[in-house]
Protein backbone atom coordinates (compact mmCIF):
# COMPACT_ATOMS: atom_id res chain seq x y z
CA UNK A 1 0.00 0.00 0.00
CA UNK A 2 1.32 3.45 -0.89
CA UNK A 3 0.17 7.04 -0.78
CA UNK A 4 -0.05 9.49 -3.67
CA UNK A 5 -1.66 12.82 -4.53
CA UNK A 6 -5.04 12.79 -6.23
CA UNK A 7 -5.19 14.38 -9.66
CA UNK A 8 -7.49 17.26 -10.58
CA UNK A 9 -9.68 14.86 -12.53
CA UNK A 10 -9.92 12.43 -9.60
CA UNK A 11 -10.86 15.21 -7.20
CA UNK A 12 -13.67 16.38 -9.46
CA UNK A 13 -14.92 12.84 -10.04
CA UNK A 14 -14.98 12.15 -6.31
CA UNK A 15 -17.06 15.22 -5.45
CA UNK A 16 -19.34 14.69 -8.45
CA UNK A 17 -19.85 10.91 -8.44
CA UNK A 18 -19.12 9.62 -4.93
CA UNK A 19 -19.26 12.30 -2.25
CA UNK A 20 -23.01 13.04 -2.74
CA UNK A 21 -23.81 9.50 -1.56
CA UNK A 22 -22.28 10.35 1.83
CA UNK A 23 -24.17 13.61 2.45
CA UNK A 24 -26.97 11.88 4.35
CA UNK A 25 -24.31 10.27 6.57
CA UNK A 26 -22.87 13.59 7.76
CA UNK A 27 -23.22 14.31 11.50
CA UNK A 28 -26.48 16.14 12.17
CA UNK A 29 -24.72 19.37 13.19
CA UNK A 30 -23.01 19.68 9.80
CA UNK A 31 -25.62 21.35 7.62
CA UNK A 32 -25.62 24.09 5.00
CA UNK A 33 -26.32 26.79 7.60
CA UNK A 34 -25.02 25.37 10.89
CA UNK A 35 -21.23 25.76 10.85
CA UNK A 36 -20.37 29.44 10.67
CA UNK A 37 -18.05 28.88 7.72
CA UNK A 38 -16.95 26.45 5.05
CA UNK A 39 -13.38 26.63 3.79
CA UNK A 40 -11.41 25.27 0.84
CA UNK A 41 -7.70 24.83 0.22
CA UNK A 42 -6.30 24.80 -3.33
CA UNK A 43 -3.14 23.22 -4.69
CA UNK A 44 -2.66 26.18 -7.03
CA UNK A 45 -3.50 29.74 -5.87
CA UNK A 46 -6.42 31.37 -7.67
CA UNK A 47 -6.87 35.14 -8.26
CA UNK A 48 -9.61 37.33 -6.81
CA UNK A 49 -11.39 40.20 -8.54
CA UNK A 50 -9.54 43.05 -6.83
CA UNK A 51 -6.20 44.05 -8.35
CA UNK A 52 -3.18 43.98 -6.07
CA UNK A 53 -4.53 41.23 -3.81
CA UNK A 54 -2.45 38.03 -3.75
CA UNK A 55 -3.94 34.92 -5.30
CA UNK A 56 -5.64 32.68 -2.76
CA UNK A 57 -4.80 29.07 -1.94
CA UNK A 58 -7.16 29.03 1.06
CA UNK A 59 -10.57 30.66 1.42
CA UNK A 60 -13.22 30.82 4.15
CA UNK A 61 -16.83 31.59 3.30
CA UNK A 62 -19.49 32.53 5.88
CA UNK A 63 -22.68 30.50 5.83
CA UNK A 64 -24.69 33.62 6.76
CA UNK A 65 -24.44 37.33 6.10
CA UNK A 66 -24.88 39.29 9.31
CA UNK A 67 -25.84 42.82 10.29
CA UNK A 68 -23.78 45.17 12.46
CA UNK A 69 -25.15 43.48 15.58
CA UNK A 70 -23.96 40.09 14.40
CA UNK A 71 -27.46 38.78 13.77
CA UNK A 72 -28.04 36.51 10.80
CA UNK A 73 -29.71 38.11 7.80
CA UNK A 74 -29.16 36.16 4.55
CA UNK A 75 -28.02 32.55 4.12
CA UNK A 76 -25.11 31.99 1.74
CA UNK A 77 -26.09 28.33 1.28
CA UNK A 78 -29.78 27.43 1.29
CA UNK A 79 -29.25 23.66 1.34
CA UNK A 80 -26.35 21.26 1.08
CA UNK A 81 -26.66 21.14 -2.70
CA UNK A 82 -25.39 24.73 -2.66
CA UNK A 83 -22.39 23.63 -0.58
CA UNK A 84 -21.77 20.81 -3.06
CA UNK A 85 -21.77 23.23 -5.99
CA UNK A 86 -19.34 25.48 -4.14
CA UNK A 87 -17.00 22.50 -3.55
CA UNK A 88 -17.16 21.33 -7.17
CA UNK A 89 -16.84 24.76 -8.79
CA UNK A 90 -15.51 27.20 -6.17
CA UNK A 91 -14.87 30.13 -8.50
CA UNK A 92 -18.16 29.84 -10.38
CA UNK A 93 -20.18 29.47 -7.17
CA UNK A 94 -18.32 31.75 -4.78
CA UNK A 95 -20.84 33.01 -2.16
CA UNK A 96 -19.09 36.39 -2.08
CA UNK A 97 -20.93 37.28 -5.28
CA UNK A 98 -19.63 40.49 -6.81
CA UNK A 99 -17.33 41.33 -3.91
CA UNK A 100 -13.79 42.51 -4.68
CA UNK A 101 -12.56 39.37 -2.92
CA UNK A 102 -14.64 36.94 -4.96
CA UNK A 103 -12.64 34.31 -6.84
CA UNK A 104 -12.34 35.20 -10.51
CA UNK A 105 -14.58 33.18 -12.84
CA UNK A 106 -12.33 30.79 -14.82
CA UNK A 107 -14.12 31.80 -18.03
CA UNK A 108 -12.28 35.12 -17.73
CA UNK A 109 -8.87 33.50 -17.25
CA UNK A 110 -6.37 31.30 -19.04
CA UNK A 111 -6.44 28.85 -16.14
CA UNK A 112 -8.94 26.18 -15.08
CA UNK A 113 -11.51 26.19 -12.31
CA UNK A 114 -9.73 25.47 -8.99
CA UNK A 115 -10.25 22.08 -7.39
CA UNK A 116 -10.36 21.71 -3.59
CA UNK A 117 -7.28 20.05 -2.18
CA UNK A 118 -9.15 20.00 1.13
CA UNK A 119 -12.67 20.83 2.32
CA UNK A 120 -13.22 22.17 5.83
CA UNK A 121 -16.04 23.38 8.06
CA UNK A 122 -15.81 25.72 11.04
CA UNK A 123 -15.97 24.30 14.55
CA UNK A 124 -17.69 27.53 15.57
CA UNK A 125 -21.42 26.94 15.08
CA UNK A 126 -24.65 28.91 14.84
CA UNK A 127 -27.03 26.41 16.41
CA UNK A 128 -25.05 24.59 19.09
CA UNK A 129 -22.07 25.05 21.40
CA UNK A 130 -18.66 25.41 19.89
CA UNK A 131 -17.85 21.87 18.66
CA UNK A 132 -15.20 20.15 20.77
CA UNK A 133 -12.58 18.37 18.66
CA UNK A 134 -9.27 16.75 19.60
CA UNK A 135 -6.70 16.45 16.81
CA UNK A 136 -4.10 13.66 16.85
CA UNK A 137 -1.65 13.74 13.93
CA UNK A 138 0.57 10.89 12.76
CA UNK A 139 3.28 13.47 11.96
CA UNK A 140 3.51 14.42 15.64
CA UNK A 141 3.75 10.78 16.69
CA UNK A 142 6.48 10.16 14.10
CA UNK A 143 8.53 13.16 15.26
CA UNK A 144 8.34 12.04 18.88
CA UNK A 145 9.29 8.50 17.91
CA UNK A 146 12.19 9.77 15.81
CA UNK A 147 13.44 11.99 18.65
CA UNK A 148 13.52 8.99 20.99
CA UNK A 149 15.21 6.78 18.38
CA UNK A 150 18.08 9.17 17.67
CA UNK A 151 18.42 10.77 21.11
CA UNK A 152 21.80 9.12 21.69
CA UNK A 153 23.18 10.70 18.52
CA UNK A 154 22.60 14.24 19.76
CA UNK A 155 19.76 16.71 19.18
CA UNK A 156 18.85 18.09 15.79
CA UNK A 157 16.65 21.06 14.95
CA UNK A 158 15.89 19.86 11.44
CA UNK A 159 12.67 17.82 11.45
CA UNK A 160 13.37 16.15 8.08
CA UNK A 161 16.89 15.23 9.16
CA UNK A 162 15.48 13.76 12.35
CA UNK A 163 12.92 11.66 10.46
CA UNK A 164 15.53 10.53 7.96
CA UNK A 165 17.94 9.49 10.71
CA UNK A 166 15.20 7.37 12.29
CA UNK A 167 14.38 5.70 8.96
CA UNK A 168 10.85 7.09 8.88
CA UNK A 169 11.13 8.76 5.47
CA UNK A 170 12.14 5.42 3.90
CA UNK A 171 9.32 3.49 5.59
CA UNK A 172 5.97 3.12 3.81
CA UNK A 173 4.43 5.40 2.78
CA UNK A 174 7.85 6.38 1.44
CA UNK A 175 8.61 10.09 1.44
CA UNK A 176 5.86 11.05 3.91
CA UNK A 177 6.82 12.38 7.37
CA UNK A 178 5.35 9.35 9.15
CA UNK A 179 4.97 5.58 8.72
CA UNK A 180 1.77 3.57 8.55
CA UNK A 181 2.54 2.44 12.10
CA UNK A 182 2.24 6.06 13.20
CA UNK A 183 -1.23 6.33 11.62
CA UNK A 184 -2.27 3.13 13.39
CA UNK A 185 -0.94 4.57 16.65
CA UNK A 186 -2.89 7.80 16.10
CA UNK A 187 -6.07 5.77 15.64
CA UNK A 188 -5.39 3.86 18.86
CA UNK A 189 -4.87 7.15 20.71
CA UNK A 190 -8.15 8.41 19.23
CA UNK A 191 -10.14 5.59 20.80
CA UNK A 192 -8.26 6.08 24.07
CA UNK A 193 -9.44 9.71 24.09
CA UNK A 194 -12.99 8.59 23.28
CA UNK A 195 -12.88 6.26 26.29
CA UNK A 196 -11.62 9.13 28.46
CA UNK A 197 -14.57 11.26 27.34
CA UNK A 198 -17.05 8.48 28.07
CA UNK A 199 -15.50 7.27 31.34
CA UNK A 200 -14.21 10.49 32.93
CA UNK A 201 -16.70 12.98 31.50
CA UNK A 202 -19.80 10.76 31.22
CA UNK A 203 -20.08 11.73 27.57
CA UNK A 204 -22.92 10.02 25.73
CA UNK A 205 -22.20 11.21 22.19
CA UNK A 206 -18.69 10.90 20.80
CA UNK A 207 -17.20 10.34 17.37
CA UNK A 208 -13.79 9.25 16.06
CA UNK A 209 -12.92 10.26 12.51
CA UNK A 210 -9.97 9.02 10.48
CA UNK A 211 -8.68 12.31 9.07
CA UNK A 212 -6.30 10.97 6.41
CA UNK A 213 -3.09 11.43 8.38
CA UNK A 214 -4.40 10.92 11.90
CA UNK A 215 -7.71 11.16 13.76
CA UNK A 216 -10.20 13.71 15.05
CA UNK A 217 -12.07 12.86 18.25
CA UNK A 218 -15.33 14.67 19.00
CA UNK A 219 -17.25 15.19 22.22
CA UNK A 220 -20.72 16.07 20.95
CA UNK A 221 -22.91 16.17 24.07
CA UNK A 222 -24.83 19.45 24.10
CA UNK A 223 -25.83 19.60 27.78
CA UNK A 224 -24.54 22.51 29.81
CA UNK A 225 -21.80 20.51 31.53
CA UNK A 226 -20.12 19.98 28.17
CA UNK A 227 -20.28 23.56 26.86
CA UNK A 228 -16.59 24.08 27.44
CA UNK A 229 -15.28 27.62 27.55
CA UNK A 230 -11.69 28.51 26.66
CA UNK A 231 -10.39 27.92 30.20
CA UNK A 232 -12.04 24.51 30.41
CA UNK A 233 -10.44 23.52 27.13
CA UNK A 234 -7.01 24.49 28.42
CA UNK A 235 -7.61 22.20 31.40
CA UNK A 236 -8.69 19.43 29.02
CA UNK A 237 -5.51 19.90 26.99
CA UNK A 238 -3.38 19.62 30.13
CA UNK A 239 -5.27 16.50 31.21
CA UNK A 240 -4.81 14.69 27.90
CA UNK A 241 -1.18 15.73 27.44
CA UNK A 242 0.18 15.55 30.97
CA UNK A 243 -1.92 12.89 32.70
CA UNK A 244 -2.72 10.58 29.80
CA UNK A 245 0.31 11.51 27.61
CA UNK A 246 -1.72 11.66 24.42
CA UNK A 247 0.12 13.68 21.69
CA UNK A 248 -2.68 16.07 20.73
CA UNK A 249 -2.58 19.42 18.96
CA UNK A 250 -3.68 21.72 21.83
CA UNK A 251 -4.35 24.69 19.54
CA UNK A 252 -7.18 22.84 17.80
CA UNK A 253 -8.88 22.14 21.14
CA UNK A 254 -8.62 25.71 22.37
CA UNK A 255 -9.19 27.90 19.30
CA UNK A 256 -12.84 28.39 18.29
CA UNK A 257 -11.74 29.86 14.96
CA UNK A 258 -10.33 26.53 13.83
CA UNK A 259 -11.70 24.57 10.91
CA UNK A 260 -11.74 20.77 10.59
CA UNK A 261 -11.75 18.47 7.60
CA UNK A 262 -15.30 17.76 6.53
CA UNK A 263 -16.21 14.10 7.18
CA UNK A 264 -16.33 12.13 3.92
CA UNK A 265 -14.29 14.78 2.11
CA UNK A 266 -11.21 13.64 0.20
CA UNK A 267 -7.75 14.00 1.71
CA UNK A 268 -6.06 14.54 -1.63
CA UNK A 269 -2.49 14.20 -0.31
CA UNK A 270 -3.12 10.51 0.37
CA UNK A 271 -6.20 9.68 -1.76
CA UNK A 272 -8.27 8.63 1.25
CA UNK A 273 -11.75 9.56 2.48
CA UNK A 274 -12.05 11.35 5.83
CA UNK A 275 -14.07 8.62 7.53
CA UNK A 276 -15.98 8.24 10.84
CA UNK A 277 -14.78 4.95 12.32
CA UNK A 278 -16.00 2.56 15.02
CA UNK A 279 -12.90 0.53 15.89
CA UNK A 280 -9.16 1.02 16.52
CA UNK A 281 -8.69 -1.86 14.06
CA UNK A 282 -9.79 0.33 11.17
CA UNK A 283 -7.85 -0.42 7.98
CA UNK A 284 -6.97 2.81 6.15
CA UNK A 285 -6.99 0.89 2.87
CA UNK A 286 -10.77 0.67 3.15
CA UNK A 287 -11.01 4.48 2.93
CA UNK A 288 -9.89 4.57 -0.69
CA UNK A 289 -12.57 6.14 -2.91
CA UNK A 290 -14.39 3.93 -5.38
CA UNK A 291 -13.49 6.33 -8.19
CA UNK A 292 -9.80 5.52 -7.57
CA UNK A 293 -10.21 1.75 -7.48
CA UNK A 294 -10.35 1.28 -11.24
Amino acid sequence: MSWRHATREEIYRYYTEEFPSYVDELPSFITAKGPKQYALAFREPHPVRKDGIPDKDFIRRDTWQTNVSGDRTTAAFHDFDDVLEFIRHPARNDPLGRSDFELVDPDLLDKPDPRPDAVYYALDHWERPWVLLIDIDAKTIARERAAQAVSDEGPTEDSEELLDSAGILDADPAGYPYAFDDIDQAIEYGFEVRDIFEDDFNAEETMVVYSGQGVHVYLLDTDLSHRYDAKSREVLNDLLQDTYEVPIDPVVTADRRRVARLPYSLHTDVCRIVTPIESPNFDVRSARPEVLRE
Side-chain angles (χ1 to χ4, degrees), residues 245-262:
E245 298 183 342
V246 178
I248 67 172
D249 183 342
V251 177
V252 174
T253 313
D255 183 2
R256 70 183 308 138
R257 285 280 297 167
R258 299 293 290 197
V259 295
R261 286 185 183 270
L262 181 68

Side-chain angles (χ1 to χ4, degrees), residues 22-89:
Y22 292 116
V23 169
D24 290 341
E25 304 298 321
L26 287 170
S28 60
F29 62 90
I30 300 180
T31 63
K33 305 174 186 178
K36 290 192 175 181
Q37 292 181 327
Y38 281 96
L40 304 178
F42 305 129
R43 195 170 299 173
E44 298 293 334
H46 193 83
V48 299
R49 290 170 55 87
K50 187 175 182 179
D51 292 337
I53 300 297
D55 295 354
K56 301 296 182 182
D57 61 7
F58 180 81
I59 60 170
R60 292 174 179 256
R61 294 297 182 258
D62 294 338
T63 55
W64 286 87
Q65 296 178 19
T66 57
N67 59 25
V68 293
S69 299
D71 299 321
R72 287 175 281 178
T73 56
T74 306
F77 306 106
H78 296 287
D79 54 39
F80 212 84
D81 284 343
D82 291 340
V83 180
L84 281 173
E85 286 304 307
F86 173 54
I87 293 171
R88 292 173 186 147
H89 299 287

Side-chain angles (χ1 to χ4, degrees), residues 187 191 194 206-210 264 275-282:
I187 292 173
F191 282 91
R194 186 196 67 174
T206 60
M207 181 170 65
V208 180
V209 176
Y210 163 62
Y264 302 108
T275 308
I277 59 178
E278 299 295 334
S279 167
N281 298 320
F282 175 74

Side-chain angles (χ1 to χ4, degrees), residues 18 273 285-294:
E18 191 166 346
I273 300 171
R285 288 174 292 188
S286 67
R288 187 179 182 186
E290 291 294 331
V291 298
L292 272 64
R293 293 179 188 268
E294 300 175 357

